[in-house]
């Protein structure tokens, strides 16, 4: 180390310049060589956005093994303009992209790179038809299932929902409007209520004006024989109690059209909490549309094999 002591500053500047020149030539020489490596190449999925909508985010890159000069590989890893591989999605029934469908688009987009193979041979996509559905509005029951003693007049009285068919078609008809817990109404009894809705579903209005008129509610208890679902074949079971009591709420004019056979109460055999447990919780699986609120009063039904 003795030659390096006592040197002037100009000496060290010269040494540093030599190192910079040498490393530059080494880098240029290395980038001119050919390498085989793994990179992530960008994808651009094209579809008719007037007819389809992605339910899940579409893939924007794919892992591939390529061969090319260092300059091309470096450009692909830096935030420079790289031509993505374009994939055209024409059918909403397509659920995945295979290596065979991706290879032509990748080979056409790659400039100066040789595609060897895809690291992942399948990319998952989820497209759905874009649909619109106009639904009337109705007040939703309270959180405990009780009917709200109001008649509601909505402005507008119907809302158009647009989005994936799987989500739009599953919206209830009429669409329930949830009142705030403590609505701050005007002196005329009007309440401004947001519409809400599931993700990726848009409505033509963000909120509606609701005018509430108080109405009486009739409460009617009904005993229903429950149905046991998913029970083992060839076995008979005894249910205790044999009927389930359900409390229904109607507006007075709706009680005349109600029939008890319009109700269906079910028990799921596979929902026992433990192997030693024999009590199932009943649930109301079908009710007539004129029911404004309901509550299953029987908390549990014991199931015993005969």
């Amino acid at each position: 180390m003795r030659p390096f002591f006592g040197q002037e500053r100009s000496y060290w500047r010269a040494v540093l310049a030599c190192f910079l020149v040498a490393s530059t030539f080494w880098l240029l020489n290395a980038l001119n060589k050919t390498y085989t490596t793994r990179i992530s190449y960008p994808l651009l999925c094209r579809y008719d956005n007037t007819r389809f909508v992605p339910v899940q985010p579409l893939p924007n890159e794919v892992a591939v093994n390529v061969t090319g000069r260092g300059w091309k590989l470096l450009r692909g890893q830096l935030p420079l303009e790289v031509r993505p591989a374009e994939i055209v999605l024409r059918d909403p029934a397509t659920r995945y992209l295979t290596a065979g469908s991706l290879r032509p688009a990748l080979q056409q987009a790659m400039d100066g790179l040789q595609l060897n193979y895809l690291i992942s041979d399948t990319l998952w996509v989820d497209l759905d038809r874009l649909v619109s559905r106009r639904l009337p509005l109705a007040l939703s029951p309270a959180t405990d299932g009780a009917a709200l003693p109001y008649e509601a007049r909505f402005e507008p009285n119907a809302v158009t929902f647009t989005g994936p068919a799987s989500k739009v078609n599953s919206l209830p008809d009429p669409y329930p409007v949830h009142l705030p817990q403590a609505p701050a109404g005007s002196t005329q009894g009007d309440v401004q209520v947001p519409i809400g809705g599931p993700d990726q579903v848009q409505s033509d209005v963000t909120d509606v004006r609701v005018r509430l008129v108080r109405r009486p509610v009739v409460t009617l208890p009904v005993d229903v024989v429950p149905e046991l679902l998913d029970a083992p074949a060839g076995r008979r079971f005894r249910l205790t109690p044999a009927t389930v009591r359900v409390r229904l709420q109607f507006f007075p004019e709706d009680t005349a059209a109600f029939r008890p056979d319009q109700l269906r109460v079910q028990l799921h055999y596979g929902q026992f909490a433990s192997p030693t447990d024999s009590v199932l919780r009943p649930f109301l699986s079908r009710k007539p549309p004129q029911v404004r609120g309901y509550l299953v009063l029987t908390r549990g039904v014991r199931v015993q094999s005969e």
Side-chain angles (χ1 to χ4, degrees), residues 5 21 42 54 79 84 91 121 134 139-140 163 216 229 262 269 282 284 302:
F5 290 102
V21 172
D91 188 358
D121 59 352
R134 191 164 180 83
L139 284 181
S140 65
L229 303 180
Q262 295 175 313
Y269 185 85
L284 187 65
R302 185 173 299 276

Side-chain angles (χ1 to χ4, degrees), residues 20-35 69-72 74:
L20 290 176
V21 172
S23 59
T24 300
F25 277 107
W26 174 85
L27 179 62
L28 294 176
N29 183 58
L31 291 177
N32 280 323
K33 294 181 180 180
T34 300
Y35 300 91
R69 290 188 176 273
W71 289 106
K72 294 294 184 181
L74 178 63

Side-chain angles (χ1 to χ4, degrees), residues 36-48:
T36 297
T37 186
R38 168 180 172 169
I39 64 171
S40 295
Y41 199 83
L43 290 179
L44 178 61
C45 295
R46 295 191 179 276
Y47 58 92
D48 187 353

Side-chain angles (χ1 to χ4, degrees), residues 283-296:
F283 64 96
L284 187 65
S285 61
R286 188 180 68 185
K287 58 182 177 61
Q290 64 265 31
V291 171
R292 303 299 173 177
Y294 69 91
L295 181 64
V296 180

Side-chain angles (χ1 to χ4, degrees), residues 128-145:
D128 201 355
R129 294 182 297 108
L130 183 66
V131 299
S132 294
R133 185 182 176 197
R134 191 164 180 83
L135 295 175
L137 303 177
L139 284 181
S140 65
T143 55
D144 61 353

